[in-house]
Amino acid sequence: MNKDLSDLIVYSGLSHPSLAKRIVSHLDLPLGRSQSIVFSNENIMVRLQDNCRQKDVFVIQTSSSPVNDHLVELLILLDAIKYASAARVTAVLPYFPYGRSDKKDEPRISIAARLVADLLQTAGADRVLTMNLHSPQIQGFFRIPVDQLLAAPIFFDYFNETLFMEESKEDFVLVMGDAGAAKAFGYYSDELNLPVAIVDKFRPDHSEKPIIRQIIGDVRGKSCLIVDDEITSGGTLIEAAERLSAEGAKRILAAAVHPVLSGDAVKKLVASPIERIIVGDTVPVREKIKGHENRFAVLDLSPLFAKAILSIHNGSSISALFPPSVRRRP
Ligand code: R5P
């Protein structure tokens, strides 16, 4: 049975107001009112303008630029909500901050994603709702429940209803952006019934210029759909696309959940052989792609977040929101 929605309040930080507004509109709720003030010493003050005593509170804040300011604003919001006597607080992080810092693969470094997990819990989060984590172990950094949504159902709808309507599905091969993507998105090939190729990529340093050793699999004469979790500098996609082109790919397209698109990524991507880039909207992207909308398809992921918020509020299953092949992913 659905609980009364008058017990539910959804707040948003400053990172992605348009996503937050779309999420609450699916729930038929107004956005909780709060005010963030940044003083001249760069300290942030957050004031909630609604009574949230004993309410089920969600706070939406994604990792968009300025990433560190938005993270601190989220921590202060969580703290304010906790001390305003909310019954439960769920931090909703569509794109998880510092997700790529998920292991100690060099001496004397921090696993910053674990530190973020600690900070969220200390600030007052009772639960976390996020989407397509860079790696699954991030869930294990928490001692509170973490629900990880997968953007797959919305991407599959786009592939089936748009992409494979324009060109026969038989012509396509899924190209996993790297070994990590091959593991994370292996179920795409089962669900879409498509062959797979893998980009064998490594990063010699932190310059955001990856090196492609080889493409594993058959891409000649194929329409290649590169799949990855995020696009940051665009380096991975651009290097992969150039190699695919050199190996005789017929068309090159790309799909990624989190379009960070830092620096001049958009400019470089539109100059690359990638015909179309299909992305989620876990971070604000419309301004960045202005003037190049014909090269991008931006998928609205807000319905999935709204359904998940409702499921958490009602204590119903989140995995039931996904088709069985996605649920059974390794
Ligand atoms: C890397 O491990 C990720 O899966 C993406 O391939 C990476 O974040 C993309 O970054 P960039 O666009 O800077 O190559």
Side-chain angles (χ1 to χ4, degrees):
M1 202 178 76
N2 284 357
K3 279 195 201 158
D4 183 356
L5 289 196
S6 64
D7 280 354
L8 175 63
I9 304 188
V10 183
Y11 289 107
S12 168
L14 296 174
S15 61
H16 199 347
S18 82
L19 177 67
K21 281 184 201 143
R22 277 177 283 127
I23 293 173
V24 291
S25 78
H26 296 300
L27 296 167
D28 226 356
L29 283 177
L31 208 49
R33 294 174 313 135
S34 68
Q35 198 185 12
S36 287
I37 298 171
V38 183
F39 295 108
S40 59
N41 63 357
E42 296 183 19
N43 289 187
I44 302 170
M45 186 187 88
V46 169
R47 196 167 68 85
L48 308 172
Q49 292 162 302
D50 304 299
N51 171 20
C52 58
R53 207 170 271 271
Q54 294 311 311
K55 304 276 186 187
D56 189 14
V57 178
F58 292 76
V59 48
I60 302 170
Q61 184 80 311
T62 200
S63 180
S64 64
S65 174
V67 168
N68 297 326
D69 289 0
H70 287 153
L71 176 58
V72 172
E73 187 202 11
L74 171 62
L75 298 173
I76 296 173
L77 262 165
L78 290 169
D79 191 60
I81 294 164
K82 178 169 90 176
Y83 282 95
S85 305
R88 182 176 68 174
V89 191
T90 303
V92 182
L93 296 129
Y95 172 54
F96 193 86
Y98 288 89
R100 283 168 69 180
S101 175
D102 59 356
K103 56 188 157 316
K104 191 157 180 184
D105 53 1
E106 285 179 48
R108 299 178 296 282
I109 62 166
S110 157
I111 301 174
R114 198 225 65 249
L115 175 62
V116 171
D118 290 348
L119 292 170
L120 292 171
Q121 291 168 102
T122 300
D126 297 304
R127 309 182 60 93
V128 166
L129 173 64
T130 187
M131 180 172 266
N132 287 82
L133 287 166
H134 182 63
S135 58
Q137 70 260 29
I138 293 171
Q139 276 182 294
F141 295 165
F142 288 87
R143 292 207 164 267
I144 54 174
V146 178
D147 290 307
Q148 181 192 196
L149 301 178
L150 299 171
I154 291 175
F155 276 77
F156 291 168
D157 286 349
Y158 180 86
F159 299 154
N160 289 320
E161 290 162 17
T162 304
L163 216 52
F164 304 147
M165 288 294 154
E166 296 167 356
E167 186 186 353
S168 165
K169 194 167 138 175
E170 318 305 311
D171 292 354
F172 280 88
V173 59
L174 287 175
V175 180
M176 301 298 175
D178 56 20
K183 194 154 184 229
F185 297 101
Y187 63 92
Y188 271 43
S189 119
D190 301 334
E191 184 69 14
L192 299 168
N193 198 17
L194 286 178
V196 167
I198 301 174
V199 179
D200 177 11
K201 161 190 116 175
F202 79 103
R203 293 185 187 273
D205 51 36
H206 296 293
S207 65
E208 297 191 320
K209 287 196 177 65
I211 292 181
I212 311 281
R213 286 196 196 93
Q214 58 177 327
I215 304 286
I216 304 165
D218 192 9
V219 297
R220 186 163 297 279
K222 294 294 224 176
S223 290
C224 294
L225 176 58
I226 308 173
V227 177
D228 214 339
D229 59 340
E230 63 181 69
I231 310 170
T232 310
S233 66
T236 300
L237 283 188
I238 292 163
E239 294 294 322
E242 281 166 3
R243 179 63 82 94
L244 290 168
S245 185
E247 298 204 2
K250 182 171 67 165
R251 291 173 72 198
I252 303 165
L253 303 95
V257 179
H258 309 296
V260 181
L261 300 173
S262 55
D264 58 356
V266 171
K267 197 169 138 206
K268 289 189 298 190
L269 285 163
V270 298
S272 81
I274 307 170
E275 207 177 284
R276 189 182 317 165
I277 302 170
I278 305 146
V279 292
D281 60 353
T282 54
V283 287
V285 66
R286 299 269 173 207
E287 270 304 304
K288 288 189 175 170
I289 64 170
K290 221 175 193 145
H292 304 290
E293 287 86 350
N294 59 335
R295 299 286 294 278
F296 289 82
V298 181
L299 308 185
D300 178 7
L301 301 174
S302 63
L304 213 40
F305 282 99
K307 283 183 199 156
I309 287 173
L310 209 52
S311 298
I312 292 169
H313 182 63
N314 289 326
S316 54
S317 166
I318 294 277
S319 58
L321 302 176
F322 298 94
S325 60
V326 174
R327 249 183 272 161
R328 279 198 307 272
R329 72 194 189 280

